[in-house]
Amino acid sequence: MHRVVVLTDHETATGYRLAGSEVVETTPAAAQHALERLITEGNYGLVAVDTSLIPDPATATARVMRGRDLPILLPIPSLRDAFSSDTVDAKAYMGKLVRDTIGFDIKL
């Protein structure tokens, strides 16, 4: 049975662990190597990749993924992006992520 893992930074890892996810912590400098290792191990069916580490994991690992069906690489938006100095309104940023993902707004 294949497992699910989240590749993220140290700061965000705790939240994923509290949610029950298996986590691999890495730095931006070591992220490419860590992702390639997770792919070649063959234990994972889904690898969620923090986009602050690798913005486009599919392109970054095209050579390693050649001929493989698994793992599925899922880019997940970085929480850091929502609260960066470039982001004026974190609520609008998160709303845009929801709208881009499911195709419409959700208002509570």
Side-chain angles (χ1 to χ4, degrees):
M1 177 174 237
H2 295 285
R3 301 179 345 222
V4 175
V5 66
V6 178
L7 182 67
T8 191
D9 59 20
H10 175 72
E11 188 174 292
T12 312
T14 301
Y16 286 109
R17 283 193 181 100
L18 287 171
S21 297
E22 182 177 346
V23 175
V24 172
E25 293 181 34
T26 189
T27 63
Q32 181 73 30
H33 177 70
L35 180 55
E36 289 177 2
R37 182 179 49 80
L38 292 171
I39 291 168
T40 57
E41 281 179 5
N43 298 325
Y44 299 99
L46 176 70
V47 178
V49 182
D50 188 319
T51 57
S52 69
L53 298 173
I54 302 175
D56 186 359
T59 301
T61 59
R63 180 186 52 80
V64 177
M65 285 295 294
R66 189 170 295 126
R68 296 177 190 265
D69 293 329
L70 293 175
I72 295 169
L73 302 176
L74 176 66
I76 50 175
S78 172
L79 194 57
R80 207 177 269 167
D81 292 341
F83 298 104
S84 74
S85 59
D86 297 337
T87 304
V88 177
D89 182 6
K91 187 175 179 181
Y93 173 82
M94 298 306 268
K96 181 182 179 320
L97 288 177
V98 170
R99 188 174 44 259
D100 291 349
T101 303
I102 64 174
F104 56 89
D105 287 326
I106 296 177
K107 302 222 183 222
L108 299 175

